[in-house]
Amino acid sequence: MAAGSAIQIPSRLPLLLTHEGVLLPGSTMRTSVDSPRNMQLVRSRLLKGTSLRSTIIGVIPNTSDPTSDCDDLPSLHRIGTAALAVQVVGSNWPKPHYTLLVTGLCRFQILQLLKEKPYPVAEVEQLDRLEQFTNQHKSEEELGELSEQFYKYAVQLVEMLDMSVPAVAKLRRLLDNLPREALPDILTSIIRTSNQEKLQILDAVRLEERFKMTIPLLVRQIEGLKLLQKTRKPKQDDDKRVVTIRPNRRINHIPSATEDEEEEEDHDDVVMLEKKIRTSSMSEQALKVCLKEIKRLKKMPQSMPEYALTRNYLELMVELPWNKSTKDRLEIRAARILLDNDHYAMEKLKKRVLEYLAVRQLKNNLKGPILCFVGPPGVGKTSVGRSIAKTLGREFHRIALGGVCDQSDIRGHRRTYVGSMPGRIINGLKTVGVNNPVFLLDEVDKLGKSLQGDPAAALLEVLDPEQNHGFTDHYLNVAFDLSQVLFIATANTTATIPPALLDRMEIIQVPGYTQEEKIEIAHRHLIPKQLEQHGLTPQQIQIPQVTTLDIITRYTREAGVRSLDRKLGAICRAVAVKVAEGQHKETKPDRAEVDEEDCKEHVTEDAKTESISDTADLALPPEMPILIDFHALKDILGPPMYEMEVSERLSQPGVAIGLAWTPLGGEIMFVEASRMDGEGQLTLTGQLGDVMKESAHLAISWLRSNAKRYQLTNTSGSFDLLDNTDIHLHFPAGAVTKDGPSAGVTIVTCLASLFSGRLVCSDVAMTGEITLRGLVLPVGGIKDKVLAAHRAGLKRIIIPRRNEKDLEEIAVNVRQDLTFVMASCLDEVLNAAFDGGFAVKPRVERLNSKL
């Protein structure tokens, strides 16, 4: 860097403005460039330049580049460093910027700013001239003492470090090979110094000033190292292994005692983690994998991203309950009492739980069953699972599967992915802390499927008792035993569950409640819960069973009790308002009457009227308890939402009542038919599926083939029912999609009523599939359909004869209220659906003259 024979910097330099650090001659610094003028300098000068001269720029410290081109330049620092741009790296995240790697050459002084845009350019004067050091011999004589003192402290500092580190050994060689005049700048950029101190060294143009200012910095660093060595624990080679110094690099400070203590704490944590792994009861395969990972962790720097991933993996492996379990409570009598107290009805579920307890008493190593509760919403499937866990004395964990469309939610992600984590099964085991909990897989029928895989297929391994003893999560990558877990799945329908998954589960149907069961549930569980939630007592509100029955029949129509619970909550809120107003009026001071008399002269007539009406409304607190009757229901819940409309809708021929099954429970379904002159077309409306459309075609074909037998004619008197006649079949509630074969008998009855002109009995509902020969085939969902007819107030139900066995599941009181007609053919259906039967009527045939 000589002025005469070596490098001479250009007299005009583009200026890079920086405020992050101070670049000294002989050192290297990385700086980020994101301001407009600096970005323009990089693009126009550094990226487009082709000569060495174009890579030399002036770095001005302690000066911020304005964020806008329109802003004026701030005052520039007088002294800067001529630098060589060694590397330029561009990036667009999080915003466009460049990162420059620059090496300091020499100092310069700004003589004149030549231009400001698009980037500043100044006329400069080079200050560091090498001929001073080589030609003037008096420098060595004057600075000899300062130079030797500085060199002594520099050597002392380096020898206190670990010489086995290559960077430290290289720095020691540089102390002997570099000119003494270049050492102050280099060492100042290496040791711990502030930007203000570096700025002072940069401004020290005279070499004597530079030595005098740098020596105290070296002494301070040496004293700090001595103090650090005294306070540290005596360990082998610790006094040497204090810091790693890279020569010709920007700040690399000596670590403080706090940082060293943190390193020791991390080391102690790894040792403790290894101890936990060795003392844990994990399987031999898992232990082998963990010991291998802990060895890798010890050799890994903490700054590596994989360090945190590996440590999180090992901590999860330690926290998993490999052999930790809870002891089951196997007292059958106590379990029966607990289940009866928590849930009314549901005999099939309770029976299955008690069977499991009985077998567990006889055999300890029984594998956990895979149960699936299928039923409409609101019947208590989820709460039963919680009660089962309480009965067994096990931990309970619920996993919501509705809408899950990624198989990684079940099996976890592989650890090669960023942000990987275990699946919900392993996470649940970590949460409960035991290996035999009760897992509730809620809404298993609402699993999705996407490009990330099929979670229903991933559940096949989890819910298979013959395979889940070796369940392998992708994150763990070792087998975990799930055979002791009691899995309970819930679903509204089995239609959307894949057959392979359905085959692995024991299906237990949970039908809807009867009216009597709803009344009992309301008074045993729902009303006390609502009173507690609203701060009421039985002395403040009474809801008789007659009122509860009105709510069930007139304001709700569901298989479960959720809507009933909401209606009871609305009643409690209305009563809470009355109770709160009554308490406020009882505690109201009597001086309100005095104030009213004093202000009587100043109140207008309108105000008087208003105050009188308010007083009348809030005159006295309500009498306790508040009795909820039909009139109170109407005031609180409004007019009834459901009325018994069966008889009104069956007031003309061509209407029949069918029974349908939905995931929400059973429903009654009206079928309406009309005929008109036309071309023999059959029109079907009501969003019908293919199966139901085929049932309609079957019904009309059977009636056409038996028209003479039953004397059914069209409007023109012909036995061909579609001759010049169009038929329109409609299924009300057109916004609801309908499908299934069970409407066949209803469609036949509806059309028979239309063509015969006779009314169907208003208290009859029916269900059953038909064939072209007139047979009635069995259908499913009989219990839900019967309960729907019972809720609607119907008295007679026509069902296929082969479904007679399904009536045993229906409560005795419901069967006593209904009359069941078993039919094996359509003749029996028609005879039961019409008053006086639908027998064949003999009719004298007319003789048509051929003349």
Side-chain angles (χ1 to χ4, degrees), residues 243-460:
V243 70
T244 301
I245 289 186
R246 292 173 296 177
N248 297 336
R249 285 289 186 270
R250 194 186 166 198
I251 309 171
N252 237 338
H253 60 271
I254 312 297
S256 62
T258 305
E259 292 173 343
D260 192 69
E261 290 175 2
E262 290 177 356
E263 291 180 2
E264 292 179 2
E265 289 177 2
D266 289 339
H267 179 72
D268 293 341
D269 289 344
V270 173
V271 173
M272 185 65 67
L273 187 59
E274 183 179 8
K275 184 178 179 181
K276 289 181 180 179
I277 291 173
R278 294 185 181 276
T279 56
S280 66
S281 55
M282 64 179 66
S283 62
E284 183 178 352
Q285 179 190 7
L287 180 63
K288 184 178 179 181
V289 172
C290 288
L291 292 178
K292 181 180 178 181
E293 292 292 331
I294 201 75
K295 288 180 181 179
R296 293 180 62 243
L297 188 68
K298 289 179 179 179
K299 300 176 183 178
M300 203 180 298
Q302 296 182 16
S303 58
M304 287 185 63
E306 195 175 353
Y307 181 89
L309 298 177
T310 305
R311 182 165 178 169
N312 290 339
Y313 171 75
L314 293 174
E315 288 176 350
L316 173 67
M317 295 289 282
V318 170
E319 292 175 2
L320 285 178
W322 296 93
N323 279 327
K324 184 179 178 182
S325 59
T326 54
K327 188 176 180 181
D328 289 345
R329 290 201 296 261
L330 302 177
E331 298 180 9
I332 296 182
R333 182 174 300 175
R336 180 181 283 112
I337 294 174
L338 185 60
L339 288 173
D340 289 339
N341 290 337
D342 285 350
H343 293 277
Y344 184 76
M346 294 189 173
E347 300 301 329
K348 201 180 273 190
L349 291 184
K350 297 175 185 177
K351 179 182 176 183
R352 183 64 183 87
V353 175
L354 296 177
E355 289 173 354
Y356 174 74
L357 289 177
V359 178
R360 281 284 285 112
Q361 280 187 356
L362 302 178
K363 187 175 182 181
N364 290 329
N365 59 347
L366 178 66
K367 293 181 180 179
I370 315 294
L371 306 178
C372 181
F373 300 158
V374 180
V379 296
K381 300 184 294 296
T382 302
S383 58
V384 164
R386 190 175 283 106
S387 294
I388 290 174
K390 182 179 176 182
T391 303
L392 296 174
R394 294 190 180 189
E395 297 292 333
F396 177 79
H397 185 73
R398 174 178 172 270
I399 300 176
L401 296 179
V404 173
C405 57
D406 187 354
Q407 61 100 16
S408 297
D409 278 356
I410 307 299
R411 284 186 178 157
H413 304 80
R414 299 191 185 276
R415 285 189 291 135
T416 52
Y417 296 111
V418 176
S420 58
M421 57 189 299
R424 296 195 183 190
I425 304 295
I426 297 299
N427 256 336
L429 290 169
K430 174 189 171 184
T431 302
V432 298
V434 292
N435 66 354
N436 64 339
V438 174
F439 267 14
L440 184 75
L441 305 178
D442 217 0
E443 309 293 355
V444 75
D445 59 325
K446 296 175 180 61
L447 287 169
K449 184 186 295 186
S450 67
L451 296 176
Q452 284 74 35
D454 186 1
L459 279 175
L460 295 178

Side-chain angles (χ1 to χ4, degrees), residues 11-305:
S11 59
R12 298 175 60 177
L13 283 180
L15 302 182
L16 180 73
L17 309 183
T18 177
H19 62 91
E20 295 178 351
V22 180
L23 178 67
L24 294 173
S27 65
T28 301
M29 179 179 75
R30 288 189 184 274
T31 181
S32 180
V33 173
D34 56 5
S35 55
R37 288 186 173 89
N38 286 346
M39 294 273 286
Q40 193 62 35
L41 167 63
V42 174
R43 292 168 180 157
S44 303
R45 177 86 176 187
L46 299 181
L47 297 182
K48 294 184 179 180
T50 58
S51 62
L52 177 63
R53 185 185 183 90
S54 63
T55 62
I56 299 176
I57 59 176
V59 180
I60 303 298
N62 201 29
T63 306
S64 298
D65 186 21
T67 56
S68 175
D69 289 334
C70 301
D71 298 337
D72 296 332
L73 278 178
S75 58
L76 304 180
H77 193 76
R78 187 177 57 88
I79 304 295
T81 305
L84 186 68
V86 179
Q87 186 183 53
V88 180
V89 179
S91 175
N92 285 324
W93 190 88
K95 62 179 182 178
H97 69 280
Y98 292 99
T99 301
L100 299 185
L101 179 64
V102 292
T103 299
L105 300 177
C106 64
R107 290 173 176 81
F108 67 82
Q109 179 180 358
I110 298 177
L111 299 179
Q112 181 184 358
L113 187 62
L114 300 178
K115 66 174 183 176
E116 295 185 7
K117 295 181 180 179
Y119 53 85
V121 177
E123 184 178 352
V124 300
E125 177 188 2
Q126 184 172 341
L127 298 178
D128 292 340
R129 303 183 184 277
L130 294 182
E131 49 262 36
Q132 290 181 355
F133 311 138
T134 55
N135 298 336
Q136 297 181 10
H137 298 285
K138 66 175 184 178
S139 298
E140 294 184 4
E141 297 175 2
E142 295 175 357
L143 301 177
E145 185 177 349
L146 281 176
S147 176
E148 287 298 327
Q149 187 180 7
F150 176 85
Y151 179 76
K152 181 183 68 173
Y153 284 125
V155 171
Q156 182 181 356
L157 173 64
V158 174
E159 288 182 348
M160 293 179 70
L161 306 178
D162 187 1
M163 296 300 294
S164 63
V165 178
V168 177
K170 185 176 181 180
L171 177 59
R172 180 65 183 87
R173 293 194 298 271
L174 288 176
L175 292 179
D176 295 333
N177 297 332
L178 286 177
R180 299 281 176 89
E181 296 81 3
L183 293 180
D185 290 332
I186 295 176
L187 285 178
T188 302
S189 64
I190 292 176
I191 63 176
R192 175 180 288 179
T193 51
S194 65
N195 283 344
Q196 190 62 34
E197 290 171 337
K198 290 182 180 179
L199 202 59
Q200 293 176 1
I201 299 296
L202 180 65
D203 291 343
V205 179
R206 295 176 59 243
L207 191 57
E208 180 181 1
E209 294 179 13
R210 228 176 291 160
F211 275 118
K212 288 180 179 179
M213 296 175 67
T214 311
I215 288 175
L217 300 178
L218 291 178
V219 173
R220 183 183 68 187
Q221 195 69 60
I222 292 171
E223 293 299 326
L225 275 175
K226 289 181 180 179
L227 181 62
L228 180 62
Q229 290 176 358
K230 290 179 181 179
T231 56
R232 291 188 62 188
K233 297 178 182 179
K235 290 184 179 180
Q236 185 179 2
D237 294 335
D238 267 2
D239 54 339
K240 297 291 184 182
R241 194 169 39 85
V242 176
V243 70
T244 301
I245 289 186
R246 292 173 296 177
N248 297 336
R249 285 289 186 270
R250 194 186 166 198
I251 309 171
N252 237 338
H253 60 271
I254 312 297
S256 62
T258 305
E259 292 173 343
D260 192 69
E261 290 175 2
E262 290 177 356
E263 291 180 2
E264 292 179 2
E265 289 177 2
D266 289 339
H267 179 72
D268 293 341
D269 289 344
V270 173
V271 173
M272 185 65 67
L273 187 59
E274 183 179 8
K275 184 178 179 181
K276 289 181 180 179
I277 291 173
R278 294 185 181 276
T279 56
S280 66
S281 55
M282 64 179 66
S283 62
E284 183 178 352
Q285 179 190 7
L287 180 63
K288 184 178 179 181
V289 172
C290 288
L291 292 178
K292 181 180 178 181
E293 292 292 331
I294 201 75
K295 288 180 181 179
R296 293 180 62 243
L297 188 68
K298 289 179 179 179
K299 300 176 183 178
M300 203 180 298
Q302 296 182 16
S303 58
M304 287 185 63

Side-chain angles (χ1 to χ4, degrees), residues 819-846:
T819 301
F820 295 95
V821 178
M822 308 301 165
S824 58
C825 62
L826 285 174
D827 292 339
E828 298 175 357
V829 172
L830 294 177
N831 284 328
F834 294 90
D835 283 333
F838 203 77
V840 177
K841 293 183 180 180
R843 180 179 172 182
V844 179
E845 295 185 1
R846 296 177 181 177

